[in-house]
Amino acid sequence: MKARKNNGGEARADLEALRESFGPASANLRTVARLWGLAIGPRGHELIFKEADGGRERAARRVLAALGRLAAEGARPGEWEAECLVNLVLRHPEAELDDYLKPLLAIPNRRVTARTETQRRYVEAMSEHDLVFGLGPAGTGKTYLAVAAAVANLAEEKVSRIIITRPAVEAGEKLGFLPGDLAEKINPYLRPIHDALDDLLSYEKYLKLAERRIIEVAPLAFMRGRTLTGAFVILDEAQNATREQMKMFLTRLGPGARAVVTGDPSQSDLPGGEAAGLNEAAGLLEDIEGVAVCRFTSADVIRHRLVRSIIEAYDRRART
C-alpha cells in the first residue's frame, strides 16, 4: 500500500488517506493485525509485515486498501468498519470489498452500507418484495436497516409515510410500575426505534415529520382496525407478537404498502409460554410471491466483538 509517484498534492492526499485508514492512534491497523495474528507497522508511505504468510498479508492489505478508499472519499473509518471487513474476507475470501462499501440506500447526508452478505441480501429483499421477514439474533442490523430502508423509500417518494410498531411486552418489568401516562409508559419499548431514526434523520426533521404524522411510532395494539395504505410498515421485536397479533398486523396492509417484520425467535418474552407468531408466519408465507425471509446468524453480529461470542455460547448451551 504505497503512495503513487505523482505530483506533490496527489502524494500528500494518498498519504493522508493511508493515515486515515489506520484510524485514531492506528486503532484500525491494530485491529486488522490482531484479527489476523500479524505484526504490521507503517514505515513512511509503506506497510511492513513481519512474519506474515502471503495469504494473510494479501488479505490484510485488501482490507486496509478498502479502508483507505473510504477515507479518500471523506469518510472516517473506525475499528468497527475494520473488524467487519476482516470478518467479511474471512467468510468470503473472494468478496469484492468495494461492493460492500457502496451506499446501499439513498439517504441524504448518511452513508448506509452492508457489513455482511446477509445484510446485503436483506436490503436487496426490501427493495424487491412487499413483505420481508428479518430473523436472527440481536446486533445483526435487522431493525436499523429496516428503518434505513423506510427512510430511503420516503425520501424517494415510493411511500407516503412510515409506521413503526412493537409489541409492548415486558422483559422482567411491569408497565404499571413505570411512571407517567400511557405514552410515557410505552416510550421505553420504542426507544430503539427512536435511536435509529435519530441517527438517520436530523432531530429537527424527525420532529417535523412526526408532527405531521408522516412518521408514526406506536405499540402493536394501536394497529388493530387500521388499513395501512401507501406506508412502509415495520413490526420490530416480532418474537413478542402472538399468533393472533401477527395475523392482525399482516392483514393491516393496504394498497401501496410495504412491510418488514424483524425479530429473534430465540428471545420471546411472551408470558406463560404463549406461542409466538413469528416463526409460524415466516414458515407459512415464505413461498408466496412477493414475500422474502432473510435469516441472520451469529456470524452477522456487528456490535462489540464479544456479542458474537456471547450469542454463540448461549446457542451451544441450548443445544446440549
Side-chain angles (χ1 to χ4, degrees):
M1 190 174 181
K2 300 181 180 180
R4 296 190 303 271
K5 292 183 178 179
N6 45 27
N7 66 50
E10 290 180 346
R12 284 193 297 275
D14 284 352
L15 180 57
E16 184 61 28
L18 176 62
R19 288 172 175 164
E20 287 286 348
S21 75
F22 294 165
S26 297
N28 298 348
L29 192 62
R30 292 198 307 272
T31 295
V32 172
R34 171 178 57 79
L35 292 173
W36 260 304
L38 298 171
I40 311 175
R43 180 182 295 170
H45 296 178
E46 301 183 22
L47 290 176
I48 305 302
F49 288 74
K50 300 176 182 177
E51 301 177 2
D53 61 75
R56 285 187 300 161
E57 178 177 339
R58 284 192 297 273
R61 285 185 181 276
R62 284 183 63 207
V63 169
L64 290 167
L67 292 171
R69 288 192 292 275
L70 267 181
E73 292 173 8
R76 291 187 174 274
E79 292 177 78
W80 183 69
E81 283 85 1
E83 185 163 342
C84 287
L85 287 176
V86 168
N87 288 328
L88 180 63
V89 171
L90 287 172
R91 291 193 300 273
H92 305 285
E94 303 305 317
E96 288 291 339
L97 297 187
D98 284 349
D99 290 343
Y100 293 85
L101 298 176
K102 295 174 184 175
L104 289 175
L105 297 162
I107 300 177
N109 304 316
R110 193 70 178 88
R111 187 187 186 99
V112 178
T113 60
R115 288 295 180 258
T116 70
E117 179 61 25
T118 310
Q119 283 193 351
R120 186 166 68 165
R121 291 199 304 268
Y122 181 50
V123 173
E124 290 172 352
M126 288 188 286
S127 70
E128 297 168 359
H129 297 79
D130 291 333
L131 173 60
V132 176
F133 289 85
L135 311 180
T140 51
K142 304 183 302 295
T143 299
Y144 184 86
L145 289 174
V147 175
V151 170
N153 272 260
L154 184 67
E156 295 173 355
E157 299 183 350
K158 293 179 179 178
V159 296
S160 58
R161 54 185 175 150
I162 297 171
I163 300 173
I164 309 174
T165 185
R166 282 181 135 197
V169 175
E170 300 92 339
E173 184 175 24
K174 298 297 183 183
L175 277 171
F177 293 125
L178 295 174
D181 58 19
L182 178 59
E184 291 171 319
K185 287 177 185 290
I186 64 176
N187 189 59
Y189 296 93
L190 304 175
R191 186 68 257 168
I193 300 297
H194 290 293
D195 289 343
L197 288 168
D198 288 347
D199 187 59
L200 292 160
L201 298 166
S202 69
Y203 184 65
E204 293 76 14
K205 185 171 185 179
Y206 168 52
L207 284 181
K208 188 178 296 184
L209 292 173
E211 287 173 0
R212 295 166 57 195
R213 298 186 67 80
I214 292 175
I215 295 181
E216 179 184 351
V217 183
L220 180 58
F222 288 20
M223 297 297 107
R224 190 173 298 279
R226 300 179 62 180
T227 300
L228 308 176
T229 301
F232 195 110
V233 192
I234 300 171
L235 172 56
D236 191 39
E237 297 290 346
Q239 74 275 3
N240 291 329
T242 66
R243 289 172 172 173
E244 292 75 18
Q245 287 176 320
M246 181 63 69
K247 181 180 178 183
M248 178 273 290
F249 170 79
L250 293 172
T251 54
R252 298 306 92 203
L253 302 181
R258 318 189 83 159
V260 179
V261 179
T262 72
D264 180 358
S266 71
Q267 292 198 4
S268 176
D269 298 312
L270 287 171
E274 188 172 2
L278 179 57
N279 269 341
E280 179 184 62
L284 283 172
L285 306 178
E286 186 167 8
D287 295 329
I288 295 177
E289 185 177 356
V291 178
V293 178
C294 295
R295 293 181 170 86
F296 295 82
T297 70
S298 59
D300 297 300
V301 172
I302 54 172
R303 289 181 182 167
H304 192 287
R305 64 179 180 275
L306 283 177
V307 174
R308 184 183 300 113
S309 300
I310 290 167
I311 291 170
E312 290 172 349
Y314 275 95
D315 286 346
R316 284 193 298 272
R317 189 184 72 171
R319 290 193 296 267
T320 59

